[in-house]
Amino acid sequence: MREWPGDDGDEACFSLHLIWGALTDWVELRPAEADQAETHMFTAAREWLTIEGDRETEARYFDRWVHDILGYERPAPIQT
């Protein structure tokens, strides 16, 4: 199986697809909320352009968008 063309081994490939897939689903599945979803799209894109390449800032961006804004559950901490 070939690698995803945009995947350079960092979290960005997966997380960006998750964020944009969720935002696109929001528009398609809840059309009455399309304006709100589109506002989030513009905000997410604008923010990404200012932080891309800074891995620590990217990690905070992904955490906030995936969990705080889009509502995906955070994984339970690994107990050792």
Side-chain angles (χ1 to χ4, degrees):
M1 184 175 221
R2 295 179 356 164
E3 284 187 27
W4 182 261
D7 184 5
D8 64 359
D10 67 14
E11 182 184 6
C13 183
F14 172 76
S15 296
L16 287 173
H17 282 89
L18 181 62
I19 291 167
W20 286 95
L23 291 170
T24 301
D25 286 350
W26 188 359
V27 170
E28 292 176 357
L29 300 175
R30 299 187 310 236
E33 299 174 14
D35 288 345
Q36 184 180 4
E38 289 169 2
T39 297
H40 278 317
M41 289 176 173
F42 285 115
T43 302
R46 223 178 294 117
E47 288 177 6
W48 176 253
L49 292 174
T50 65
I51 58 105
E52 181 181 15
D54 179 336
R55 296 268 174 118
E56 289 181 23
T57 307
E58 286 179 4
R60 287 190 302 272
Y61 169 90
F62 293 137
D63 184 71
R64 187 170 62 83
W65 275 96
V66 170
H67 303 293
D68 297 336
I69 296 173
L70 296 172
Y72 286 91
E73 186 174 328
R74 282 184 174 82
I78 298 172
Q79 297 182 8
T80 56

